[in-house]
Amino acid sequence: MGSAFATPLRAGGHDVRVWGTWLDGAILETLRRGEPHPGTGVRLAEGCALHDAEDLPAALDGAEVVLVAISSGGVTAVLDRAAPHLPPDAVLGLATKGFVDTDDGPVLIPDAVRARVAETRLAVIGGPCKANEVAAARPTLAVVGALDLARAEGLAEAMGTPVYRVEASADEAGVEVCAALKNVYAIALGIADGLPTDDSGGGEPWHDLRAALFTRAVRELGEATALAGGDPATPYGPAGVGDLEVTGLSGRNKVFGTRVGAGERPSVALDAMAAQGRLVEGVPAARLARGWVGPALDRFPLLAALGDLLDTDGSPGADADARQRIVDAALHGR
Amino acid sequence: MGSAFATPLRAGGHDVRVWGTWLDGAILETLRRGEPHPGTGVRLAEGCALHDAEDLPAALDGAEVVLVAISSGGVTAVLDRAAPHLPPDAVLGLATKGFVDTDDGPVLIPDAVRARVAETRLAVIGGPCKANEVAAARPTLAVVGALDLARAEGLAEAMGTPVYRVEASADEAGVEVCAALKNVYAIALGIADGLPTDDSGGGEPWHDLRAALFTRAVRELGEATALAGGDPATPYGPAGVGDLEVTGLSGRNKVFGTRVGAGERPSVALDAMAAQGRLVEGVPAARLARGWVGPALDRFPLLAALGDLLDTDGSPGADADARQRIVDAALHGR
């Protein structure tokens, strides 16, 4: 996603530096040779400077905007290294989504970042943005949220192009919580896609259940936004229904869900995907989200059902009780 | 859909009569032989009485609930025949969705029905309900809307089963307008699915654009609900996001959109589908919806773009201007 952002930014005439972590050395070499990014199949936009992991201070020197697209498990460690080198006025745009466990329990990533970077620089980026499509300049609608609307508008204007449209929102919390939870709910949509089809319904996929789960997920995004103190409209915009839609179409969370729906045990599916280097961010996010929600969990029956599914290592495709739990959450909100 | 309703109704222990129009004779014969419905691939629930077109008075005699699932183009003609035979206390549940053209311009179907049947009997049925899945007792979440909440609750309770869950809503207008427009917006989702993939994005489908179109569609469902005087929450429940999700996954409107997205002219795709006996209800609904919206059309840029696409017979898959119009609606709301 980090290198994908180079496409709209270069189209907007900005100087762009692409920095990679200590795990990204091989990718940077590929991009230097002008070959497509192995993760997206798309070449890096022309005219970017490339920086290896140890070049972090140089990559940050004088930067006006720093976009962070580290995976959720690594974001605080990278920011601990980056913080001393961040120019004082740089705006930090967080594309990393999810929760971080702390001594005080799970917190949203911007809340963890706030402990490291001055509040006045923070913004979060949500909405449907697949890295390969952003890199290829395919059209989409994103949203930047920040506590200060002017800051959100500034970053939205800096990042936006005619095809990469970026709205601005003063609802940092709502954008963030929707973006974090959509990975969890995409697992549920994948489960519906994976359920065996041969026993009923003319061999068709379980589309009605998928749509009922989608509806339940949107309602829980609304509950989560309320719990975070966000704007009630945010779940119905690009950060909510938009990102849920795209995350439910493809990506690792949906693929993991499909495997579990088809009958694989969650632990087996997770191991198999990990062996391919595919982290499923929605799995730790489901557990952390449950902790973040705390005593309000009864307003999140789908989140609760998914958490239990992971705890019991059950498969709705192979186990009637596990399937019933998911169905009950979607249909009866319990 | 009419015969599909027999599954939850029989599961609920009701006496069920299935009546077919003068176009449905062959289907009724198939069902009488105990064979699967040719449209759904699923057998009729056991224990239903079957009534041919000329049996309309007998089919309606003493009925407590009459569910109407005629295609939108034929609903008023059928109701004109049925009205004299409707028992005075029967509740009419409308599963037919869309607009009807009248001398006063396009109106929503329940408003056309209100001219034929006493207001105090009307309810509308929305939410994700594919006929083959309802017939097969697959789980889903529906909603009944009526001006009188008690009437909606009564019908919801009568129709509902543990797998066919039916919510009740006092927002007849919102349920109806969302149900009518989702067919139109499913065409847009299909267009994104059909766009050629070989030129960019690593050969992947245009998922981001699809999600941006989904977001725009949800926003326009919100505008339409407001215009109809409905409850602002309705578009975010089963009748809105739920039905939009399922209609965008499969069905004729989505298939038509996919063909147009892939490069076929709308008129050619429509003729080809008509030759297979497949009516695309979203096409007349798009034109009628534009008339229903009237001077508020500037709040419906996606509806306007789809209407223009049909007028000009353009294809976003083959014509850059036609594609740009759809993209502009999704990204820029213009």
Side-chain angles (χ1 to χ4, degrees):
Chain A
M1 195 69 222
S3 62
F5 281 135
T7 297
L9 292 170
R10 288 295 297 149
H14 300 287
D15 290 331
V16 175
R17 302 169 188 166
V18 176
W19 175 81
T21 72
W22 41 95
L23 299 173
D24 298 327
I27 293 174
L28 287 171
E29 281 314 304
T30 305
L31 297 178
R32 280 197 180 97
R33 287 196 301 268
E35 295 170 11
H37 188 294
T40 64
V42 182
R43 287 187 174 74
L44 185 67
E46 290 192 8
C48 298
L50 288 159
H51 290 270
D52 291 305
E54 61 272 20
D55 269 353
L56 187 54
L60 292 170
D61 185 39
E64 294 171 73
V65 168
V66 178
L67 300 181
V68 179
I70 312 289
S71 67
S72 53
V75 66
T76 54
V78 169
L79 284 174
D80 283 336
R81 295 197 187 200
H85 307 289
L86 281 174
D89 297 325
V91 170
L92 207 68
L94 289 174
T96 306
K97 291 299 172 296
F99 299 88
V100 172
D101 212 4
T102 73
D103 293 343
D104 300 324
V107 300
L108 287 166
I109 283 177
D111 293 324
V113 171
R114 236 183 288 276
R116 292 163 170 85
V117 175
E119 163 53 43
T120 50
R121 298 155 156 204
L122 267 191
V124 298
I125 305 164
C129 297
K130 286 177 64 179
N132 64 314
E133 298 197 43
V134 172
R138 290 259 190 94
T140 197
L141 175 65
V143 56
V144 165
L147 294 184
D148 173 14
L149 181 60
R151 192 188 325 143
E153 287 171 339
L155 183 55
E157 195 182 322
M159 294 182 74
T161 73
V163 293
Y164 186 69
R165 158 89 164 137
V166 189
E167 299 186 345
S169 163
D171 184 17
E172 180 206 277
V175 170
E176 182 62 26
V177 82
C178 287
L181 282 171
K182 61 91 175 37
N183 285 332
V184 179
Y185 294 121
I187 295 174
L189 301 180
I191 287 171
D193 288 344
L195 288 179
T197 60
D198 47 2
D199 58 340
S200 67
E204 300 276 318
W206 296 58
H207 283 163
D208 277 351
L209 178 60
R210 183 188 156 102
L213 286 163
F214 193 96
T215 308
R216 183 71 233 162
V218 172
R219 287 176 168 173
E220 295 191 15
L221 292 181
E223 293 286 350
T225 301
L227 206 60
D231 180 340
T234 298
Y236 314 130
V241 293
D243 206 357
L244 182 63
E245 174 71 8
V246 80
T247 310
L249 289 172
S250 56
R252 299 163 184 193
N253 298 288
K254 131 92 178 173
V255 169
F256 168 74
T258 305
R259 295 178 75 138
V260 172
E264 222 167 0
R265 285 171 51 188
S267 60
V268 173
L270 213 52
D271 287 350
M273 292 181 68
Q276 301 163 343
R278 305 182 80 192
L279 287 177
V280 184
E281 290 189 308
V283 169
R287 295 199 168 101
L288 291 166
R290 204 167 41 169
W292 179 81
V293 159
L297 190 62
D298 60 340
R299 280 147 53 194
F300 296 83
L302 182 54
L303 175 62
L306 290 166
D308 287 354
L309 190 73
L310 297 170
D311 288 349
T312 60
D313 211 21
S315 156
D319 169 356
D321 286 345
R323 189 186 302 184
Q324 194 57 47
R325 189 73 202 277
I326 296 289
V327 168
D328 280 346
L331 272 58
H332 303 278
R334 66 177 185 230
Chain B
M1 196 67 222
S3 62
F5 281 134
T7 297
L9 291 170
R10 287 296 298 152
H14 300 286
D15 290 331
V16 177
R17 302 169 188 165
V18 176
W19 175 81
T21 71
W22 40 96
L23 298 174
D24 298 328
I27 293 174
L28 287 172
E29 281 315 303
T30 306
L31 297 178
R32 279 198 181 99
R33 288 195 301 270
E35 295 171 10
H37 189 295
T40 63
V42 182
R43 286 185 175 75
L44 184 66
E46 290 190 10
C48 298
L50 288 159
H51 289 271
D52 291 306
E54 60 273 19
D55 269 353
L56 187 54
L60 292 169
D61 185 41
E64 293 170 74
V65 168
V66 178
L67 300 181
V68 180
I70 313 290
S71 68
S72 53
V75 67
T76 53
V78 170
L79 283 175
D80 283 337
R81 295 197 185 200
H85 307 289
L86 280 174
D89 297 326
V91 170
L92 207 69
L94 290 173
T96 305
K97 292 300 173 294
F99 299 88
V100 172
D101 213 3
T102 73
D103 293 343
D104 300 324
V107 300
L108 287 167
I109 282 177
D111 293 325
V113 171
R114 235 183 289 277
R116 292 163 170 85
V117 176
E119 161 55 40
T120 50
R121 299 154 155 208
L122 267 191
V124 298
I125 305 164
C129 298
K130 285 177 65 179
N132 64 315
E133 298 197 44
V134 173
R138 291 261 191 93
T140 197
L141 176 65
V143 58
V144 165
L147 292 184
D148 173 14
L149 181 60
R151 192 188 324 145
E153 287 171 340
L155 184 55
E157 197 182 321
M159 296 182 72
T161 73
V163 293
Y164 186 69
R165 158 86 165 139
V166 189
E167 299 186 344
S169 163
D171 185 17
E172 179 206 278
V175 169
E176 182 62 28
V177 81
C178 288
L181 282 170
K182 60 95 175 36
N183 285 333
V184 180
Y185 294 122
I187 296 174
L189 301 180
I191 288 172
D193 289 345
L195 289 178
T197 60
D198 47 4
D199 59 338
S200 67
E204 299 277 320
W206 297 58
H207 283 163
D208 276 352
L209 177 60
R210 183 188 157 100
L213 286 162
F214 193 96
T215 308
R216 182 72 233 163
V218 172
R219 287 175 168 173
E220 296 191 14
L221 291 181
E223 293 285 352
T225 301
L227 205 60
D231 179 341
T234 298
Y236 313 131
V241 294
D243 206 359
L244 182 63
E245 174 70 8
V246 81
T247 311
L249 289 173
S250 56
R252 300 164 183 191
N253 297 288
K254 131 90 179 175
V255 168
F256 169 74
T258 305
R259 295 178 75 138
V260 172
E264 220 166 3
R265 285 170 51 186
S267 59
V268 174
L270 213 51
D271 288 348
M273 291 181 69
Q276 301 163 343
R278 305 182 81 192
L279 288 177
V280 184
E281 290 189 308
V283 169
R287 295 200 168 102
L288 292 167
R290 203 166 44 170
W292 179 81
V293 159
L297 192 61
D298 60 340
R299 280 148 52 195
F300 296 83
L302 182 52
L303 175 62
L306 290 166
D308 288 355
L309 191 72
L310 296 171
D311 288 347
T312 60
D313 211 22
S315 157
D319 169 354
D321 286 345
R323 188 185 304 184
Q324 192 59 47
R325 188 75 203 277
I326 297 289
V327 168
D328 280 347
L331 273 58
H332 304 280
R334 71 180 179 224

